[in-house]
Amino acid sequence: MTPADKQKLTTAFNNAVNASPYADEPVQGIATHDGQPVTRRMLVEATLQAPQFFNEVDKVIATGKVTLDQIIEKFEDGMKKPIRGMRP
């Protein structure tokens, strides 16, 4: 994954989180060390700081079955919806 692709992915994910009305929903079953709930925003921030995330995205793209733009689009669509089971 090129530095430009990493930046594109990071920018797109951050923009999707910032635009999402559900970004601060807690993720069920995940908590901080002190027991506080982890939000979708916090989870994305932590994910984008992990080099392994970009390595895994690169592997998926290398299969030729999905593009970077498709990954971004799927994430953006997901951030527009609440977490299943969290809201009626």
Side-chain angles (χ1 to χ4, degrees):
M1 177 169 280
T2 68
D5 285 344
K6 287 181 184 180
Q7 186 58 53
K8 179 179 180 177
L9 184 64
T10 299
T11 299
F13 273 38
N14 283 327
N15 288 344
V17 168
N18 290 334
S20 174
Y22 306 108
D24 296 310
E25 277 186 329
V27 178
Q28 189 174 4
I30 303 177
T32 63
H33 291 292
D34 61 355
Q36 297 299 313
V38 171
T39 65
R40 294 170 83 175
R41 180 184 313 275
M42 293 165 68
L43 190 57
V44 171
E45 287 172 357
T47 299
L48 291 173
Q49 292 179 16
Q52 305 92 305
F53 170 70
F54 296 100
N55 293 338
E56 291 303 315
V57 170
D58 203 27
K59 287 179 190 176
V60 170
I61 293 169
T63 67
K65 296 179 182 178
V66 67
T67 66
L68 180 60
D69 288 335
Q70 289 170 322
I71 291 170
I72 290 169
E73 183 179 334
K74 183 125 177 124
F75 180 79
E76 290 170 340
D77 288 346
M79 287 304 297
K80 294 175 184 173
K81 301 172 188 171
I83 298 172
R84 282 193 190 122
M86 295 298 290
R87 296 199 181 181

